[in-house]
Amino acid sequence: MNFLRDEKLDVYPLKVLFKKEFKSLVFSPLFPLLLVVTTVASSLSLLANNYWLNARISSLKSYFLSIPMLFSILIPMLTMNVWVDEKKQNTKMFLLSLPISHRQIVYAKYLANAFASMMMTLLIILPPLSIIELLQLSFSNFFLSFFTIAIFAGSLLAICQAVSFTS
């Protein structure tokens, strides 16, 4: 028994809806503020947990352990208006009446937010890279930690969008 439907995914409506969602997200006043807060808070997190510098430890474990707490606050702020704006602007019924499947609507909204959260995730690399000369860093551990933060951001994004959709 095939549990996955053999539904053909038409890419053009998904692309158009993705562009609309991404533009509305990037040009909102909240997004640049979230980028600045991400950069400043991650920099402060690196400086506040500076026992690694005093002990001459090249591990940034405390830094990467503090980032999920930061993202647990910022990503819900990014996604809380995904479905609410459709209701506020009375475009929810129009969006649902388009010849696009509901699955494609969810995919487009998730991908737009995923690209925005990846921008935030890329900004957390900047503080450790600014002090790279002070450390004897293991690049495999560094990029593995970054990869786990990216996976955490994607899963938190999916959870927040599901909560936003149901409320």
Side-chain angles (χ1 to χ4, degrees):
M1 178 180 250
N2 188 4
F3 291 105
L4 298 174
R5 286 195 220 163
D6 294 332
E7 181 180 315
K8 186 175 180 182
L9 187 66
D10 190 14
V11 180
Y12 182 71
L14 182 70
K15 191 166 114 177
V16 169
L17 193 57
F18 168 77
K19 279 184 181 178
K20 176 223 172 249
E21 290 295 325
F22 190 69
K23 282 182 183 177
S24 69
L25 184 67
V26 169
F27 292 122
S28 72
L30 180 67
F31 185 67
L33 178 68
L34 286 177
L35 292 178
V36 169
V37 167
T38 301
T39 307
V40 170
S42 64
S43 299
L44 289 176
S45 170
L46 184 67
L47 294 175
N49 296 329
N50 66 355
Y51 78 90
W52 52 268
L53 184 59
N54 296 333
R56 297 183 189 262
I57 300 170
S58 61
S59 173
L60 293 174
K61 184 190 263 186
S62 62
Y63 173 70
F64 282 111
L65 287 175
S66 66
I67 297 299
M69 294 302 290
L70 175 67
F71 276 4
S72 295
I73 296 168
L74 296 180
I75 288 182
M77 291 174 65
L78 179 70
T79 61
M80 74 174 119
N81 63 352
V82 170
W83 295 98
V84 175
D85 280 348
E86 300 293 338
K87 193 172 185 179
K88 278 184 190 175
Q89 298 170 357
N90 291 328
T91 57
K92 181 180 176 185
M93 295 307 286
F94 175 71
L95 185 64
L96 294 175
S97 66
L98 289 174
I100 303 172
S101 71
H102 298 297
R103 184 177 291 179
Q104 287 179 331
I105 294 170
V106 172
Y107 287 163
K109 288 182 177 289
Y110 178 80
L111 286 175
N113 280 313
F115 272 87
S117 70
M118 283 311 294
M119 286 181 197
M120 291 170 50
T121 306
L122 287 174
L123 286 176
I124 66 164
I125 291 182
L126 293 179
L129 288 181
S130 67
I131 59 164
I132 197 97
E133 293 178 1
L134 299 175
L135 303 173
Q136 302 262 331
L137 197 60
S138 168
F139 287 106
S140 61
N141 288 342
F142 181 78
F143 287 111
L144 186 61
S145 298
F146 175 73
F147 183 69
T148 57
I149 293 294
I151 290 173
F152 175 78
S155 61
L156 185 63
L157 186 68
I159 292 168
C160 291
Q161 279 205 346
V163 169
S164 175
F165 179 71
T166 57
S167 65

